């Protein structure tokens, strides 16, 4: 039945033709046309018949179909109304798919999962629209309770920032933020030949497994981290005290209290150390 599946080049081209579609670049529309990648994404997410899956941006339904075959149910949120008729047609054989025409950034994912997903928890699986990867991930991690994991294709450079460790070039506030909420790993890299149209950046699939909540889940800590990394070539004391920030003397005292030199840069500190400096300043 391989040739009947949505992920073939012929099938994706046929969907585009039937829908009178023109992939919209500004919505990050790069459709997958490779069954191996589609299966590898679902393997990485470890989807079973028990699972409720929230898919972001189903496109023409390529990944949705594989998810529908493996999961208990799939809730798929697509912003582009032009895709909805094609999606409805392509996914008609799968009764466990619920299509939602909405902007994920304007959607209360917990409410959606509760309403359509039997109360959750749910796994997020997506070939993300790259232009909003960061707001989607940070929004889901910070503002939901019902999402247990996120397995997402994204621009390789963003994947590298998410998994970077202290001292590495890609390490920054995004690394600290995501790693505070989840255990993260790059599952595999993806060449641009598996999409129509081809994106002009490399891609990778990242798996994020949510951690138990801890005291670092504090919006004030994340604001502190953003500020600490805001002036990359400056010391942390200078970055934190710039633009009406913290008092420089207080930052230096907090660094000393945490056993750190006053000229340290945020890039050198892992999340726990950053949190200990933040705590001294806060308390
Ligand atoms: N899942 C499909 C695939 O793998 O072939 C399509 C992936 S494509 C990279 C990203 C999809 O996200 C597109 O269908 C696009 O229309 C949709 N999208 C873009 N912005 C969105 C938003 N704010 N909310 C929901 N979907 C969005």
């Amino acid at each position: 039945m391989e040739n009947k599946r949505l992920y073939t080049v012929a099938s994706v081209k046929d969907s585009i033709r039937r829908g009178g579609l023109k992939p919209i670049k500004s919505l990050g529309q790069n459709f997958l046309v490779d069954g191996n990648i589609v299966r590898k994404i679902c393997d990485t997410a470890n989807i079973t018949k028990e699972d409720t899956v929230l898919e972001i941006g189903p496109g023409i339904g390529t990944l949705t179909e594989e998810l529908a075959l493996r999961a208990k149910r799939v809730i798929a949120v697509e912003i582009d109304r032009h895709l909805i008729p094609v999606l409805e047609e392509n996914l008609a054989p799968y009764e466990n798919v619920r299509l939602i025409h909405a902007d994920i950034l304007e959607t209360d994912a917990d409410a959606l999962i509760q309403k359509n997903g039997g109360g959750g928890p749910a796994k997020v699986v997506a070939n993300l629209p790259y232009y909003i990867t960061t707001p989607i991930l940070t929004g889901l991690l910070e503002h939901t309770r019902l999402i247990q994991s996120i397995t997402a294709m994204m621009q390789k450079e963003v994947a590298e920032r998410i998994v970077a460790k202290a001292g590495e070039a890609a390490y920054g506030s995004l690394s600290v933020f995501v790693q505070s909420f989840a255990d993260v790993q790059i599952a595999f890299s993806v060449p641009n030949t598996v999409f129509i149209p081809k994106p002009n950046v490399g891609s990778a699939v990242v798996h994020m497994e949510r951690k138990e909540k801890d005291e670092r889940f504090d919006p004030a800590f994340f604001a502190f981290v953003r500020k600490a990394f805001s002036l990359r070539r400056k010391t942390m004391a200078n970055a934190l005290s710039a633009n009406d920030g913290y008092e420089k003397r207080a930052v230096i005292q907090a660094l000393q209290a945490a056993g750190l030199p006053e000229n340290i840069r945020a890039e050198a500190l892992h999340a726990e150390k950053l949190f200990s400096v933040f705590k001294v300043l806060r308390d």
Side-chain angles (χ1 to χ4, degrees):
M1 293 290 282
E2 180 84 2
N3 59 353
K4 288 269 165 63
R5 296 292 302 273
L6 293 172
Y7 50 59
T8 64
V9 174
S11 170
V12 171
K13 283 189 170 164
D14 180 59
S15 290
I16 291 173
R17 187 194 50 76
R18 270 188 291 124
L21 304 170
K22 201 170 179 293
I24 303 174
K25 213 174 163 184
S26 63
L27 288 178
Q29 290 181 354
N30 300 98
F31 302 122
L32 271 171
V33 287
D34 186 308
N36 283 327
I37 299 293
V38 166
R39 282 187 289 267
K40 261 172 97 171
I41 294 172
C42 296
D43 290 345
T44 302
N46 192 21
I47 302 303
T48 72
K49 274 286 164 212
E50 310 296 309
D51 290 325
T52 295
V53 176
L54 172 62
E55 188 194 4
I56 298 158
I60 60 107
T62 313
L63 181 57
T64 326
E65 178 182 56
E66 184 71 19
L67 291 167
L69 289 166
R70 297 192 188 202
K72 183 168 188 184
R73 56 172 85 80
V74 183
I75 308 163
V77 178
E78 174 57 59
I79 198 172
D80 183 4
R81 68 181 164 82
H82 303 99
L83 292 173
I84 302 295
V86 179
L87 268 172
E88 276 170 354
E89 197 178 330
N90 284 350
L91 298 171
Y94 306 99
E95 286 178 357
N96 58 347
V97 176
R98 182 80 209 274
L99 270 179
I100 311 284
H101 176 213
D103 178 346
I104 190 66
L105 295 178
E106 302 290 326
T107 302
D108 178 341
D110 272 354
L112 192 69
I113 292 163
Q114 218 138 30
K115 188 161 169 237
N116 300 285
K123 295 177 177 174
V124 170
V125 181
N127 171 15
L128 288 172
Y130 292 179
Y131 72 110
I132 44 171
T133 298
T134 305
I136 291 176
L137 294 180
T138 54
L140 290 178
L141 289 169
E142 190 167 6
H143 300 299
T144 66
R145 293 177 297 111
L146 295 177
I147 289 167
Q148 71 183 77
S149 65
I150 303 176
T151 307
M153 174 105 77
M154 63 188 74
Q155 188 175 335
K156 196 167 186 185
E157 178 254 326
V158 180
E160 283 164 356
R161 281 166 54 207
I162 286 177
V163 303
K165 298 277 179 246
E168 293 176 3
Y171 185 65
S173 55
L174 184 65
S175 330
V176 177
F177 185 94
V178 178
Q179 291 171 34
S180 294
F181 286 95
D183 293 316
V184 299
Q185 67 182 85
I186 293 184
F188 56 96
S189 299
V190 180
N192 71 354
T193 47
V194 302
F195 303 91
I196 289 181
K198 291 190 188 108
N200 42 25
V201 292
S203 302
V205 171
V206 177
H207 182 70
M208 292 156 260
E209 198 74 37
R210 192 191 279 269
K211 292 180 182 171
E212 290 294 311
K213 285 219 167 202
D214 73 13
E215 57 174 357
R216 271 187 283 155
F217 286 30
D218 177 348
F221 173 56
F222 298 122
F224 163 89
V225 169
R226 267 197 303 278
K227 198 152 178 59
F229 282 95
S230 60
L231 300 168
R232 277 195 82 87
R233 270 176 291 279
K234 298 258 188 214
T235 66
M236 198 165 139
N238 280 337
L240 283 169
S241 57
N243 306 318
D244 292 330
Y246 293 86
E247 202 189 318
K248 190 164 176 186
R249 208 159 36 101
V251 178
I252 289 173
Q253 278 168 1
L255 289 168
Q256 284 166 346
L260 296 166
E262 60 182 72
N263 63 351
I264 192 103
R265 293 179 184 173
E267 294 95 292
L269 298 183
H270 54 72
E272 287 71 22
K273 260 295 182 226
L274 286 164
F275 192 72
S276 60
V277 178
F278 165 73
K279 262 203 319 206
V280 177
L281 277 170
R282 181 194 62 185
D283 298 339

